[in-house]
Amino acid sequence: MKMAPILRAFANHAPSIPTMLVHTGQHYDNAMNDQLFVDLRLPRPDINLEVGSGSHAVQTAEVMRRFEPVLDEHKPSCVLVVGDVNSTLACTLVAVKKGIPVAHVEAGLRSYDRGMPEEINRVLTDQIADLLYTTERSALDNLLREGIVGERVRFVGNVMIDSLLFNREVARSPEKTLLSAKADISVINGPQGYGVVTLHRPSNVDEAETLRFLLGVLREVSTKLPLVFAMHPRTRANIERFGLADMVAGDRIVCLPPQGYLEMLGLMAKAKVVLTDSGGLQEETTALGVPCLTIRENTERPITVEQGSNTMVGRDRMAILGGVEEVLAGGGKRGRIPELWDGHAAERIADDLARWLIGRHLAT
């Protein structure tokens, strides 16, 4: 979702910015990986490192081991990384140690929760990257507090919203998505509408009691509002492992396999509310003006709460139920679109990076 608009902007830039797309293979489930390339009209990767699963240490080390020969062979002028996954940090470490400049897209976001692996990836990547492209102005304050000089930071907006606006008109209808999954479409066509659920964070789904509690709350929600639960493989596996399948059975919760980008975009756009622990969905619901209840204690995207449609409810049963009641009673929190979430963030990145690379070349 982040790389597709960047590659389009690089190709359309005058002159075009030549690129090589390296896919680490960190996300290896076909429905969550291959389908995204199709949905986003993203070119197939020039190189796929096929790293696959593993612990954080194993995955990070394997990305580094496989990425280094790519840099040795192709000698790029710059490495651009996005987001906060293990691949982001791993590729940054390899590039910086070889003297290759790094640009980090979606820099400066902080939850200030060091228990989140993504937070470690974010902090370390930002410390050593050369260019830091931010999605919201508050990110600069985060970076300055960590001793990063402001000259390395560029506020460009949110490339996730570039993807959303580019693809909104071709999003798949919820009816088609449910029919493809052989699910009953009457669930989403009732008078009260429907909610969308995603859960995948280890803190929410890896412990039996926590997962049982959250599924119980979702069952309560479903008595008031039918739910479409797009189930991450990790979540589904844990539901089965802990013997909790009965808690998501019945005609008020529709469980779907992992969905493609266009399917999720269509489901969210028509939803009454989204219940999630995903960072990306907090941003997308803000752009769509759809109320979002985030089942986490903190967020690295505070602008979605301050200006957008997001409300932090944690694992608080009453807060979750109350948030749904508010949506049903009066439509819920809609917010407004944050600054520079206008569909042109990738173009601003392309313009800035091209100038920076030319300046660097002339200086040498």
Side-chain angles (χ1 to χ4, degrees):
M1 288 84 79
K2 297 163 191 169
M3 197 61 79
I6 292 170
L7 291 180
R8 278 196 303 274
F10 284 6
N12 294 332
H13 189 268
S16 64
I17 303 172
T19 59
M20 170 175 285
L21 180 60
V22 178
H23 180 30
T24 63
Q26 177 177 333
H27 294 135
Y28 53 90
D29 181 272
N30 179 64
M32 299 181 72
N33 177 32
D34 293 349
Q35 188 60 42
L36 279 173
F37 281 88
V38 175
D39 289 350
L40 294 166
R41 287 163 274 181
L42 185 62
R44 302 304 301 175
D46 297 290
I47 296 173
N48 190 336
L49 302 182
E50 298 182 339
V51 168
S53 62
S55 70
H56 287 283
V58 167
Q59 199 172 61
T60 302
E62 195 61 22
V63 171
M64 294 177 69
R65 188 180 72 81
R66 298 188 188 199
F67 187 54
E68 184 175 30
V70 174
L71 298 186
D72 290 339
E73 178 180 356
H74 297 284
K75 298 178 172 55
S77 302
C78 180
V79 170
L80 183 144
V81 297
V82 299
D84 55 17
V85 295
N86 291 336
S87 298
T88 307
L89 175 59
C91 292
T92 299
L93 283 167
V94 174
V96 169
K97 288 190 174 187
K98 298 183 92 55
I100 300 170
V102 172
H104 181 207
V105 174
E106 203 182 72
L109 298 179
R110 297 290 183 269
S111 67
Y112 291 98
D113 177 3
R114 292 295 179 96
M116 293 178 64
E118 297 90 346
E119 183 78 352
I120 306 303
N121 293 339
R122 287 188 284 263
V123 170
L124 296 179
T125 298
D126 287 341
Q127 280 293 325
I128 59 177
D130 297 82
L131 293 177
L132 303 174
Y133 292 112
T134 63
T135 62
E136 56 186 80
R137 288 196 182 274
S138 66
L140 174 60
D141 295 332
N142 296 334
L143 295 168
L144 292 175
R145 277 194 293 270
E146 295 168 6
I148 292 169
V149 295
E151 289 76 13
R152 289 164 55 194
V153 184
R154 279 86 158 138
F155 172 46
V156 293
N158 194 332
V159 293
M160 285 279 284
I161 308 309
D162 291 13
S163 273
L164 185 147
L165 296 176
F166 184 78
N167 289 290
R168 187 169 184 180
E169 294 303 315
V170 295
R172 199 172 195 198
S173 74
E175 288 81 7
K176 287 183 178 179
T177 296
L178 265 65
L179 284 171
S180 293
K182 297 181 171 56
D184 182 1
I185 65 170
S186 67
V187 173
I188 64 172
N189 290 327
Q192 69 270 67
Y194 65 94
V196 168
V197 177
T198 78
L199 289 175
H200 75 282
R201 299 239 169 231
S203 58
N204 281 334
V205 305
D206 280 4
E207 297 293 332
E209 287 308 309
T210 300
L211 184 55
R212 179 180 290 107
F213 169 76
L214 288 176
L215 295 181
V217 176
L218 292 176
R219 279 190 71 86
E220 286 189 76
V221 170
S222 73
T223 65
K224 308 172 187 298
L225 181 71
L227 297 175
V228 177
F229 193 163
M231 204 171 282
H232 191 283
R234 177 193 204 104
T235 308
R236 183 178 293 278
N238 283 339
I239 286 174
E240 293 173 358
R241 180 160 67 98
F242 300 142
L244 303 176
D246 287 349
M247 299 191 72
V248 289
D251 58 5
R252 299 284 291 182
I253 301 179
V254 175
C255 294
L256 300 180
Q259 294 300 298
Y261 179 75
L262 298 181
E263 285 80 6
M264 280 303 299
L265 181 54
L267 284 168
M268 287 191 297
K270 297 291 181 65
K272 285 278 191 181
V273 64
V274 172
L275 299 98
T276 187
D277 57 11
S278 162
L281 265 61
Q282 295 172 47
E283 295 178 327
E284 290 169 335
T285 49
T286 281
L288 293 167
V290 173
C292 178
L293 303 179
T294 296
I295 304 173
R296 285 168 49 185
E297 300 301 327
N298 50 55
T299 180
E300 65 282 1
R301 293 163 168 87
I303 200 168
T304 64
V305 177
E306 296 160 4
Q307 298 182 22
S309 61
N310 187 20
T311 301
M312 306 300 297
V313 293
R315 292 194 289 267
D316 185 321
R317 171 179 171 273
M318 294 308 298
I320 297 169
L321 295 175
V324 173
E325 290 283 6
E326 183 180 342
V327 167
L328 293 175
K333 185 179 179 183
R334 300 288 170 174
R336 63 182 175 86
I337 306 298
E339 182 183 7
L340 295 189
W341 290 25
D342 58 3
H344 300 288
E347 295 164 28
R348 289 186 280 269
I349 292 170
D351 288 342
D352 181 81
L353 185 59
R355 284 193 300 270
W356 189 82
L357 287 172
I358 290 170
R360 182 180 172 87
H361 176 72
L362 292 176
T364 57

